Amino acid sequence: MAKKSNLYPVILAGGRGTRFWPLSRKKRAKQLLALDGKQTMIQQTVARLLPLASPKRFWIITNDDLRPTILKQIPKLPKTQAIAEPIGRNTAPAIGLAAFLLLRQDPDAVIGMFPSDHVIADEKSYRTTIERGAEIAAAGENIVVLGIRPNRAETGYGYIEAGSLASGDALRVRRFTEKPDAEKAAGFLAAGNYFWNSGMFLWSARTLARALREHLPKTATVLEEIAAAFGTRKFATILRRLYPKCENISVDYAILEPRSAKGEREGNIFCLPADFGWNDLGSWTALHEHHTAKSSPLQDNIIRSAGVFLLNASGNYVHSPGKFVAAVGVSDLVVVDTPDALLITTRRNAQDVGKVVKYLDGKKLHKLT
């Protein structure tokens, strides 16, 4: 089993908020941290990881809107270990910064990367899987990804093609495919050796730092300079000045794809099948799926409103607090109503709301995002 002292959970909170447009960042900070149950999502994430690491070993990469709320909700977290990105630069710079920070603090650190918007049903199995992954990550230049067995041809997730059995239940990874089209996703499901990429990874700080220097050298140089200033009065200024120079890229594209291209054995990437009841509440579609599974509402309609009338309506998600909602003869819609914007899409296409945000950014309509 992995040594408890070697695992440093790094939680990414707030970086994927574009999936919940048209709620503003501040509204997401207030509302979407508490998507499931009495505890907020990030409180749940920390609580299920605490048996594996002390609060002093947790790091959270977030944004300026969420940081004050997170510090209130997790009072035992050292304030300096809740780092707000001055600008969003996707997961590679975020987790890369944590790698260079921890490499200076503990050369033997094993990093666990965990998004804050996951729901886990079997927490005991979850922790057992993470311990196994940390063990593999600490054993060499290895990268471990937790893979979810797909139950549908989902086009909104990345996929892992698993190869030969390495040891125990760990499978060698052949390649990663980001968000395939419907035809490819159906083929992956039928093949039986593909897993959804959960976005949960384990690697040593040393392994990740070396991978960044190899595959993302310009960003690695920037991150090393930022990390060198940590603990000094200049850190906040240097972070604000240099972090925007990082490439805007996910860890999947920056590290995993080129690493897997080296070959099944040379890449040293391992997939651990994760059978602990997982759901990623990172989109309106996933949120609908989660709440229908929990509450079994009438005709699978999830309606957030002051009142509701349903007639021949099924499978809809409607968010319109304070208003009366009538849904008549419609199915599988996502409708999100806010004072300054209205989203109307289908559950199948709800993953594409990020394209709306890109459009609004291009038109400099930042007040809408």
Side-chain angles (χ1 to χ4, degrees), residues 72-135:
K72 289 180 182 178
Q73 293 177 357
I74 310 172
K76 292 184 179 180
L77 175 75
K79 290 184 179 181
T80 57
Q81 290 172 204
I83 297 176
E85 297 175 291
I87 186 172
R89 280 294 179 260
N90 219 310
T91 54
I95 194 64
L97 178 57
F100 286 113
L101 289 168
L102 285 168
L103 189 60
R104 298 172 65 88
Q105 180 177 321
D106 181 356
D108 296 321
V110 171
I111 295 174
M113 173 178 152
F114 305 101
S116 63
D117 51 6
H118 289 182
V119 172
I120 305 297
D122 186 345
E123 294 189 359
K124 183 178 179 181
S125 175
Y126 169 80
R127 286 189 287 269
T128 298
T129 305
I130 290 171
E131 287 181 316
R132 171 64 177 141
E135 182 182 60

Short mmCIF file of all heavy atoms in Angstrom, two decimals, residues 72-135:
data_model
loop_
_atom_site.label_atom_id
_atom_site.label_comp_id
_atom_site.label_asym_id
_atom_site.label_seq_id
_atom_site.Cartn_x
_atom_site.Cartn_y
_atom_site.Cartn_z
N LYS A 72 -13.07 29.34 3.49
CA LYS A 72 -14.05 29.28 4.57
C LYS A 72 -14.57 27.86 4.77
O LYS A 72 -14.80 27.42 5.89
CB LYS A 72 -15.22 30.22 4.26
CG LYS A 72 -14.88 31.70 4.38
CD LYS A 72 -16.09 32.55 4.05
CE LYS A 72 -15.75 34.03 4.13
NZ LYS A 72 -16.93 34.88 3.75
N GLN A 73 -14.75 27.14 3.66
CA GLN A 73 -15.32 25.81 3.74
C GLN A 73 -14.30 24.76 4.19
O GLN A 73 -14.69 23.70 4.71
CB GLN A 73 -15.91 25.42 2.38
CG GLN A 73 -17.12 26.25 2.01
CD GLN A 73 -17.65 25.90 0.63
OE1 GLN A 73 -17.09 25.06 -0.07
NE2 GLN A 73 -18.73 26.54 0.24
N ILE A 74 -13.02 25.03 3.97
CA ILE A 74 -11.98 24.08 4.37
C ILE A 74 -10.98 24.84 5.25
O ILE A 74 -9.87 25.18 4.82
CB ILE A 74 -11.28 23.48 3.13
CG1 ILE A 74 -12.33 22.96 2.15
CG2 ILE A 74 -10.36 22.32 3.54
CD1 ILE A 74 -11.77 22.52 0.84
N PRO A 75 -11.37 25.12 6.49
CA PRO A 75 -10.55 25.98 7.35
C PRO A 75 -9.19 25.41 7.71
O PRO A 75 -8.28 26.17 8.06
CB PRO A 75 -11.43 26.16 8.60
CG PRO A 75 -12.37 25.01 8.59
CD PRO A 75 -12.63 24.70 7.15
N LYS A 76 -9.02 24.08 7.65
CA LYS A 76 -7.74 23.48 8.01
C LYS A 76 -6.72 23.51 6.88
O LYS A 76 -5.56 23.17 7.07
CB LYS A 76 -7.95 22.03 8.47
CG LYS A 76 -8.71 21.92 9.79
CD LYS A 76 -8.81 20.48 10.27
CE LYS A 76 -9.54 20.39 11.61
NZ LYS A 76 -9.63 18.98 12.08
N LEU A 77 -7.16 23.92 5.70
CA LEU A 77 -6.24 24.02 4.57
C LEU A 77 -5.33 25.24 4.75
O LEU A 77 -5.82 26.34 4.97
CB LEU A 77 -7.03 24.17 3.27
CG LEU A 77 -6.22 24.41 2.00
CD1 LEU A 77 -5.55 23.12 1.55
CD2 LEU A 77 -7.10 24.96 0.88
N PRO A 78 -4.01 25.07 4.68
CA PRO A 78 -3.13 26.24 4.73
C PRO A 78 -3.49 27.23 3.62
O PRO A 78 -3.61 26.85 2.46
CB PRO A 78 -1.73 25.64 4.52
CG PRO A 78 -1.86 24.22 4.99
CD PRO A 78 -3.25 23.81 4.60
N LYS A 79 -3.66 28.50 3.98
CA LYS A 79 -4.12 29.49 3.01
C LYS A 79 -3.19 29.61 1.81
O LYS A 79 -3.64 29.83 0.68
CB LYS A 79 -4.27 30.85 3.70
CG LYS A 79 -5.42 30.91 4.68
CD LYS A 79 -5.58 32.31 5.25
CE LYS A 79 -6.76 32.37 6.21
NZ LYS A 79 -6.95 33.73 6.76
N THR A 80 -1.90 29.44 2.05
CA THR A 80 -0.95 29.58 0.93
C THR A 80 -1.07 28.44 -0.07
O THR A 80 -0.54 28.53 -1.18
CB THR A 80 0.49 29.63 1.45
OG1 THR A 80 0.76 28.46 2.23
CG2 THR A 80 0.71 30.88 2.30
N GLN A 81 -1.77 27.36 0.32
CA GLN A 81 -1.91 26.20 -0.56
C GLN A 81 -3.24 26.20 -1.34
O GLN A 81 -3.57 25.21 -2.00
CB GLN A 81 -1.73 24.92 0.24
CG GLN A 81 -0.28 24.75 0.68
CD GLN A 81 -0.04 23.60 1.64
OE1 GLN A 81 0.93 23.62 2.39
NE2 GLN A 81 -0.88 22.58 1.61
N ALA A 82 -3.95 27.30 -1.26
CA ALA A 82 -5.10 27.54 -2.14
C ALA A 82 -4.67 28.64 -3.10
O ALA A 82 -4.61 29.82 -2.75
CB ALA A 82 -6.32 27.98 -1.34
N ILE A 83 -4.31 28.24 -4.30
CA ILE A 83 -3.72 29.17 -5.28
C ILE A 83 -4.75 29.52 -6.34
O ILE A 83 -5.34 28.64 -6.97
CB ILE A 83 -2.48 28.54 -5.92
CG1 ILE A 83 -1.41 28.31 -4.83
CG2 ILE A 83 -1.93 29.43 -7.03
CD1 ILE A 83 -0.17 27.62 -5.34
N ALA A 84 -4.95 30.83 -6.52
CA ALA A 84 -5.90 31.31 -7.52
C ALA A 84 -5.16 31.67 -8.80
O ALA A 84 -4.27 32.51 -8.80
CB ALA A 84 -6.65 32.53 -6.99
N GLU A 85 -5.54 31.01 -9.89
CA GLU A 85 -4.97 31.36 -11.19
C GLU A 85 -5.41 32.78 -11.56
O GLU A 85 -6.60 33.09 -11.46
CB GLU A 85 -5.48 30.40 -12.26
CG GLU A 85 -5.08 28.95 -12.08
CD GLU A 85 -5.75 28.07 -13.13
OE1 GLU A 85 -6.98 27.89 -13.05
OE2 GLU A 85 -5.04 27.58 -14.02
N PRO A 86 -4.50 33.62 -11.99
CA PRO A 86 -4.90 34.96 -12.42
C PRO A 86 -5.71 34.93 -13.71
O PRO A 86 -6.48 35.85 -14.00
CB PRO A 86 -3.57 35.68 -12.62
CG PRO A 86 -2.57 34.61 -12.83
CD PRO A 86 -3.03 33.45 -12.02
N ILE A 87 -5.54 33.85 -14.47
CA ILE A 87 -6.30 33.63 -15.70
C ILE A 87 -6.33 32.14 -15.95
O ILE A 87 -5.37 31.43 -15.65
CB ILE A 87 -5.67 34.38 -16.89
CG1 ILE A 87 -6.56 34.27 -18.13
CG2 ILE A 87 -4.25 33.89 -17.17
CD1 ILE A 87 -6.10 35.15 -19.28
N GLY A 88 -7.45 31.63 -16.44
CA GLY A 88 -7.55 30.19 -16.68
C GLY A 88 -6.63 29.74 -17.80
O GLY A 88 -6.62 30.36 -18.87
N ARG A 89 -5.86 28.69 -17.53
CA ARG A 89 -4.95 28.16 -18.53
C ARG A 89 -5.07 26.64 -18.67
O ARG A 89 -4.14 25.97 -19.08
CB ARG A 89 -3.50 28.54 -18.19
CG ARG A 89 -3.13 29.97 -18.59
CD ARG A 89 -3.15 30.10 -20.09
NE ARG A 89 -2.82 31.43 -20.57
CZ ARG A 89 -3.72 32.31 -20.96
NH1 ARG A 89 -5.01 32.03 -20.91
NH2 ARG A 89 -3.36 33.49 -21.41
N ASN A 90 -6.23 26.09 -18.30
CA ASN A 90 -6.52 24.67 -18.42
C ASN A 90 -5.69 23.84 -17.44
O ASN A 90 -4.95 24.37 -16.62
CB ASN A 90 -6.33 24.19 -19.87
CG ASN A 90 -7.39 23.18 -20.28
OD1 ASN A 90 -7.63 22.21 -19.58
ND2 ASN A 90 -8.03 23.42 -21.42
N THR A 91 -5.77 22.52 -17.56
CA THR A 91 -5.25 21.65 -16.50
C THR A 91 -3.75 21.44 -16.52
O THR A 91 -3.16 21.17 -15.48
CB THR A 91 -5.94 20.28 -16.55
OG1 THR A 91 -5.82 19.72 -17.87
CG2 THR A 91 -7.42 20.39 -16.20
N ALA A 92 -3.10 21.55 -17.68
CA ALA A 92 -1.65 21.29 -17.71
C ALA A 92 -0.87 22.33 -16.89
O ALA A 92 -0.06 21.94 -16.03
CB ALA A 92 -1.14 21.24 -19.15
N PRO A 93 -1.06 23.63 -17.08
CA PRO A 93 -0.37 24.59 -16.23
C PRO A 93 -0.78 24.50 -14.76
O PRO A 93 0.05 24.67 -13.86
CB PRO A 93 -0.75 25.94 -16.82
CG PRO A 93 -1.07 25.64 -18.25
CD PRO A 93 -1.74 24.31 -18.21
N ALA A 94 -2.06 24.22 -14.50
CA ALA A 94 -2.54 24.15 -13.11
C ALA A 94 -1.85 23.03 -12.34
O ALA A 94 -1.27 23.25 -11.27
CB ALA A 94 -4.06 23.96 -13.10
N ILE A 95 -1.90 21.82 -12.87
CA ILE A 95 -1.27 20.70 -12.17
C ILE A 95 0.25 20.79 -12.28
O ILE A 95 0.98 20.33 -11.39
CB ILE A 95 -1.80 19.34 -12.70
CG1 ILE A 95 -1.41 18.21 -11.76
CG2 ILE A 95 -1.31 19.06 -14.11
CD1 ILE A 95 -2.05 18.31 -10.39
N GLY A 96 0.74 21.39 -13.37
CA GLY A 96 2.18 21.57 -13.52
C GLY A 96 2.75 22.50 -12.46
O GLY A 96 3.84 22.25 -11.92
N LEU A 97 2.03 23.56 -12.13
CA LEU A 97 2.48 24.46 -11.07
C LEU A 97 2.58 23.70 -9.75
O LEU A 97 3.56 23.85 -9.00
CB LEU A 97 1.52 25.64 -10.93
CG LEU A 97 1.85 26.64 -9.82
CD1 LEU A 97 3.24 27.22 -9.99
CD2 LEU A 97 0.81 27.75 -9.77
N ALA A 98 1.58 22.88 -9.47
CA ALA A 98 1.63 22.07 -8.24
C ALA A 98 2.84 21.15 -8.24
O ALA A 98 3.49 20.95 -7.20
CB ALA A 98 0.34 21.26 -8.11
N ALA A 99 3.17 20.57 -9.40
CA ALA A 99 4.31 19.66 -9.48
C ALA A 99 5.61 20.37 -9.13
O ALA A 99 6.42 19.85 -8.34
CB ALA A 99 4.40 19.05 -10.88
N PHE A 100 5.84 21.55 -9.69
CA PHE A 100 7.09 22.26 -9.42
C PHE A 100 7.14 22.79 -7.98
O PHE A 100 8.21 22.84 -7.38
CB PHE A 100 7.28 23.38 -10.43
CG PHE A 100 7.68 22.89 -11.79
CD1 PHE A 100 6.82 23.02 -12.87
CD2 PHE A 100 8.90 22.27 -11.99
CE1 PHE A 100 7.19 22.55 -14.13
CE2 PHE A 100 9.28 21.79 -13.25
CZ PHE A 100 8.42 21.93 -14.32
N LEU A 101 5.99 23.16 -7.43
CA LEU A 101 5.94 23.58 -6.03
C LEU A 101 6.29 22.42 -5.10
O LEU A 101 7.10 22.56 -4.17
CB LEU A 101 4.56 24.13 -5.69
CG LEU A 101 4.19 25.49 -6.29
CD1 LEU A 101 2.71 25.77 -6.11
CD2 LEU A 101 5.01 26.60 -5.64
N LEU A 102 5.69 21.27 -5.35
CA LEU A 102 5.91 20.12 -4.48
C LEU A 102 7.29 19.51 -4.66
O LEU A 102 7.87 18.96 -3.72
CB LEU A 102 4.82 19.07 -4.71
CG LEU A 102 3.46 19.45 -4.10
CD1 LEU A 102 2.35 18.54 -4.61
CD2 LEU A 102 3.54 19.37 -2.57
N LEU A 103 7.82 19.60 -5.87
CA LEU A 103 9.16 19.07 -6.11
C LEU A 103 10.18 19.78 -5.23
O LEU A 103 11.14 19.17 -4.75
CB LEU A 103 9.53 19.23 -7.59
CG LEU A 103 10.79 18.54 -8.08
CD1 LEU A 103 10.70 17.03 -7.88
CD2 LEU A 103 11.03 18.86 -9.55
N ARG A 104 9.97 21.06 -4.99
CA ARG A 104 10.87 21.82 -4.13
C ARG A 104 10.66 21.48 -2.65
O ARG A 104 11.58 21.54 -1.85
CB ARG A 104 10.65 23.33 -4.34
CG ARG A 104 10.95 23.80 -5.76
CD ARG A 104 10.53 25.25 -5.97
NE ARG A 104 11.32 26.16 -5.13
CZ ARG A 104 12.47 26.68 -5.49
NH1 ARG A 104 12.99 26.40 -6.68
NH2 ARG A 104 13.11 27.50 -4.69
N GLN A 105 9.44 21.09 -2.33
CA GLN A 105 9.09 20.82 -0.93
C GLN A 105 9.40 19.39 -0.52
O GLN A 105 9.88 19.13 0.58
CB GLN A 105 7.60 21.11 -0.73
CG GLN A 105 7.09 20.85 0.68
CD GLN A 105 5.63 21.24 0.82
OE1 GLN A 105 5.19 22.24 0.27
NE2 GLN A 105 4.87 20.44 1.55
N ASP A 106 9.09 18.44 -1.39
CA ASP A 106 9.29 17.01 -1.09
C ASP A 106 9.61 16.28 -2.39
O ASP A 106 8.71 15.97 -3.17
CB ASP A 106 8.03 16.43 -0.45
CG ASP A 106 8.17 14.95 -0.08
OD1 ASP A 106 9.22 14.36 -0.38
OD2 ASP A 106 7.22 14.40 0.51
N PRO A 107 10.87 15.98 -2.65
CA PRO A 107 11.26 15.32 -3.90
C PRO A 107 10.59 13.97 -4.13
O PRO A 107 10.51 13.51 -5.27
CB PRO A 107 12.78 15.15 -3.75
CG PRO A 107 13.18 16.18 -2.75
CD PRO A 107 12.03 16.30 -1.80
N ASP A 108 10.09 13.34 -3.07
CA ASP A 108 9.42 12.04 -3.20
C ASP A 108 7.91 12.17 -3.23
O ASP A 108 7.20 11.16 -3.12
CB ASP A 108 9.83 11.13 -2.03
CG ASP A 108 11.32 10.80 -2.05
OD1 ASP A 108 11.86 10.60 -3.16
OD2 ASP A 108 11.93 10.76 -0.97
N ALA A 109 7.39 13.37 -3.39
CA ALA A 109 5.95 13.58 -3.38
C ALA A 109 5.26 12.83 -4.51
O ALA A 109 5.73 12.80 -5.64
CB ALA A 109 5.64 15.07 -3.50
N VAL A 110 4.13 12.21 -4.20
CA VAL A 110 3.24 11.61 -5.20
C VAL A 110 2.00 12.48 -5.26
O VAL A 110 1.32 12.71 -4.25
CB VAL A 110 2.86 10.16 -4.83
CG1 VAL A 110 1.76 9.64 -5.77
CG2 VAL A 110 4.08 9.26 -4.89
N ILE A 111 1.73 12.99 -6.44
CA ILE A 111 0.60 13.89 -6.63
C ILE A 111 -0.62 13.11 -7.10
O ILE A 111 -0.54 12.32 -8.04
CB ILE A 111 0.94 14.98 -7.67
CG1 ILE A 111 2.07 15.87 -7.15
CG2 ILE A 111 -0.29 15.82 -8.00
CD1 ILE A 111 2.56 16.86 -8.18
N GLY A 112 -1.73 13.36 -6.45
CA GLY A 112 -3.02 12.87 -6.94
C GLY A 112 -3.79 14.07 -7.46
O GLY A 112 -4.00 15.04 -6.74
N MET A 113 -4.18 14.04 -8.72
CA MET A 113 -4.94 15.15 -9.33
C MET A 113 -6.42 14.79 -9.32
O MET A 113 -6.84 13.78 -9.88
CB MET A 113 -4.45 15.38 -10.76
CG MET A 113 -5.29 16.39 -11.54
SD MET A 113 -4.59 16.63 -13.21
CE MET A 113 -6.09 17.10 -14.11
N PHE A 114 -7.23 15.65 -8.66
CA PHE A 114 -8.64 15.35 -8.47
C PHE A 114 -9.49 16.56 -8.81
O PHE A 114 -9.36 17.60 -8.16
CB PHE A 114 -8.91 14.93 -7.02
CG PHE A 114 -8.07 13.79 -6.55
CD1 PHE A 114 -6.96 14.01 -5.74
CD2 PHE A 114 -8.37 12.48 -6.92
CE1 PHE A 114 -6.17 12.96 -5.31
CE2 PHE A 114 -7.58 11.42 -6.49
CZ PHE A 114 -6.47 11.66 -5.68
N PRO A 115 -10.37 16.47 -9.81
CA PRO A 115 -11.35 17.53 -10.03
C PRO A 115 -12.31 17.61 -8.84
O PRO A 115 -12.53 16.61 -8.14
CB PRO A 115 -12.08 17.09 -11.30
CG PRO A 115 -11.13 16.15 -11.99
CD PRO A 115 -10.43 15.44 -10.87
N SER A 116 -12.89 18.77 -8.62
CA SER A 116 -13.74 18.97 -7.44
C SER A 116 -15.20 18.64 -7.68
O SER A 116 -16.01 18.74 -6.75
CB SER A 116 -13.63 20.43 -6.98
OG SER A 116 -14.12 21.30 -7.99
N ASP A 117 -15.56 18.26 -8.91
CA ASP A 117 -16.98 18.09 -9.23
C ASP A 117 -17.37 16.64 -9.49
O ASP A 117 -18.23 16.35 -10.32
CB ASP A 117 -17.37 18.97 -10.43
CG ASP A 117 -16.43 18.79 -11.62
OD1 ASP A 117 -15.56 17.91 -11.55
OD2 ASP A 117 -16.58 19.52 -12.61
N HIS A 118 -16.73 15.71 -8.78
CA HIS A 118 -17.05 14.30 -8.94
C HIS A 118 -17.90 13.79 -7.78
O HIS A 118 -17.75 14.25 -6.64
CB HIS A 118 -15.78 13.45 -9.01
CG HIS A 118 -15.01 13.64 -10.29
ND1 HIS A 118 -13.85 12.94 -10.57
CD2 HIS A 118 -15.23 14.45 -11.36
CE1 HIS A 118 -13.40 13.32 -11.75
NE2 HIS A 118 -14.21 14.22 -12.24
N VAL A 119 -18.75 12.83 -8.09
CA VAL A 119 -19.53 12.13 -7.08
C VAL A 119 -19.02 10.69 -7.03
O VAL A 119 -18.85 10.05 -8.07
CB VAL A 119 -21.03 12.14 -7.41
CG1 VAL A 119 -21.80 11.24 -6.46
CG2 VAL A 119 -21.57 13.56 -7.32
N ILE A 120 -18.76 10.19 -5.83
CA ILE A 120 -18.24 8.83 -5.64
C ILE A 120 -19.19 8.07 -4.72
O ILE A 120 -19.46 8.53 -3.59
CB ILE A 120 -16.82 8.85 -5.03
CG1 ILE A 120 -15.87 9.70 -5.88
CG2 ILE A 120 -16.30 7.42 -4.85
CD1 ILE A 120 -15.63 9.19 -7.28
N ALA A 121 -19.68 6.93 -5.15
CA ALA A 121 -20.62 6.16 -4.34
C ALA A 121 -19.91 5.29 -3.30
O ALA A 121 -20.29 5.27 -2.13
CB ALA A 121 -21.49 5.28 -5.25
N ASP A 122 -18.87 4.58 -3.70
CA ASP A 122 -18.16 3.65 -2.80
C ASP A 122 -16.81 4.26 -2.42
O ASP A 122 -15.81 4.07 -3.11
CB ASP A 122 -17.97 2.30 -3.49
CG ASP A 122 -17.38 1.23 -2.58
OD1 ASP A 122 -16.86 1.58 -1.49
OD2 ASP A 122 -17.42 0.05 -2.95
N GLU A 123 -16.78 5.00 -1.33
CA GLU A 123 -15.57 5.73 -0.98
C GLU A 123 -14.44 4.81 -0.50
O GLU A 123 -13.27 5.12 -0.70
CB GLU A 123 -15.89 6.78 0.10
CG GLU A 123 -16.81 7.87 -0.42
CD GLU A 123 -16.98 9.02 0.55
OE1 GLU A 123 -16.38 8.97 1.66
OE2 GLU A 123 -17.69 9.98 0.21
N LYS A 124 -14.78 3.69 0.09
CA LYS A 124 -13.75 2.75 0.53
C LYS A 124 -13.00 2.18 -0.68
O LYS A 124 -11.77 2.12 -0.70
CB LYS A 124 -14.36 1.61 1.35
CG LYS A 124 -13.34 0.63 1.90
CD LYS A 124 -14.00 -0.45 2.75
CE LYS A 124 -12.97 -1.44 3.28
NZ LYS A 124 -13.61 -2.51 4.11
N SER A 125 -13.75 1.76 -1.71
CA SER A 125 -13.14 1.26 -2.93
C SER A 125 -12.34 2.36 -3.63
O SER A 125 -11.27 2.11 -4.19
CB SER A 125 -14.22 0.70 -3.86
OG SER A 125 -13.67 0.31 -5.11
N TYR A 126 -12.87 3.56 -3.58
CA TYR A 126 -12.19 4.73 -4.16
C TYR A 126 -10.81 4.91 -3.55
O TYR A 126 -9.81 5.06 -4.25
CB TYR A 126 -13.08 5.94 -3.91
CG TYR A 126 -12.50 7.30 -4.20
CD1 TYR A 126 -12.43 7.81 -5.49
CD2 TYR A 126 -12.08 8.11 -3.14
CE1 TYR A 126 -11.94 9.08 -5.73
CE2 TYR A 126 -11.58 9.39 -3.38
CZ TYR A 126 -11.51 9.87 -4.67
OH TYR A 126 -11.03 11.13 -4.90
N ARG A 127 -10.75 4.88 -2.22
CA ARG A 127 -9.46 5.08 -1.55
C ARG A 127 -8.51 3.92 -1.81
O ARG A 127 -7.30 4.12 -1.96
CB ARG A 127 -9.69 5.29 -0.05
CG ARG A 127 -10.26 6.66 0.28
CD ARG A 127 -10.27 6.92 1.77
NE ARG A 127 -11.29 6.15 2.46
CZ ARG A 127 -12.53 6.58 2.68
NH1 ARG A 127 -12.91 7.76 2.26
NH2 ARG A 127 -13.39 5.82 3.34
N THR A 128 -9.05 2.72 -1.87
CA THR A 128 -8.20 1.56 -2.17
C THR A 128 -7.56 1.70 -3.55
O THR A 128 -6.38 1.41 -3.75
CB THR A 128 -9.02 0.26 -2.10
OG1 THR A 128 -9.53 0.10 -0.77
CG2 THR A 128 -8.17 -0.95 -2.46
N THR A 129 -8.35 2.16 -4.52
CA THR A 129 -7.84 2.35 -5.88
C THR A 129 -6.77 3.43 -5.91
O THR A 129 -5.74 3.29 -6.58
CB THR A 129 -8.99 2.72 -6.83
OG1 THR A 129 -10.01 1.71 -6.77
CG2 THR A 129 -8.50 2.83 -8.26
N ILE A 130 -6.99 4.51 -5.17
CA ILE A 130 -6.00 5.59 -5.14
C ILE A 130 -4.70 5.12 -4.49
O ILE A 130 -3.60 5.44 -4.96
CB ILE A 130 -6.57 6.81 -4.39
CG1 ILE A 130 -7.68 7.45 -5.24
CG2 ILE A 130 -5.47 7.84 -4.10
CD1 ILE A 130 -8.46 8.51 -4.53
N GLU A 131 -4.81 4.35 -3.43
CA GLU A 131 -3.61 3.82 -2.78
C GLU A 131 -2.81 2.94 -3.73
O GLU A 131 -1.58 3.02 -3.78
CB GLU A 131 -3.99 3.04 -1.52
CG GLU A 131 -4.45 3.91 -0.37
CD GLU A 131 -4.80 3.10 0.86
OE1 GLU A 131 -5.47 2.07 0.71
OE2 GLU A 131 -4.41 3.50 1.97
N ARG A 132 -3.53 2.13 -4.48
CA ARG A 132 -2.86 1.27 -5.47
C ARG A 132 -2.19 2.13 -6.54
O ARG A 132 -1.06 1.88 -6.95
CB ARG A 132 -3.89 0.32 -6.09
CG ARG A 132 -3.40 -0.48 -7.28
CD ARG A 132 -2.29 -1.44 -6.92
NE ARG A 132 -1.90 -2.25 -8.06
CZ ARG A 132 -0.65 -2.58 -8.34
NH1 ARG A 132 0.34 -2.20 -7.55
NH2 ARG A 132 -0.38 -3.33 -9.41
N GLY A 133 -2.89 3.16 -7.00
CA GLY A 133 -2.32 4.05 -8.00
C GLY A 133 -1.10 4.79 -7.49
O GLY A 133 -0.11 4.96 -8.22
N ALA A 134 -1.14 5.24 -6.24
CA ALA A 134 0.00 5.94 -5.66
C ALA A 134 1.21 5.02 -5.55
O ALA A 134 2.35 5.46 -5.73
CB ALA A 134 -0.38 6.50 -4.29
N GLU A 135 0.94 3.77 -5.28
CA GLU A 135 2.02 2.78 -5.20
C GLU A 135 2.73 2.63 -6.55
O GLU A 135 3.97 2.61 -6.63
CB GLU A 135 1.44 1.43 -4.77
CG GLU A 135 2.45 0.32 -4.59
CD GLU A 135 1.78 -0.98 -4.20
OE1 GLU A 135 0.93 -1.48 -4.99
OE2 GLU A 135 2.07 -1.51 -3.11
#
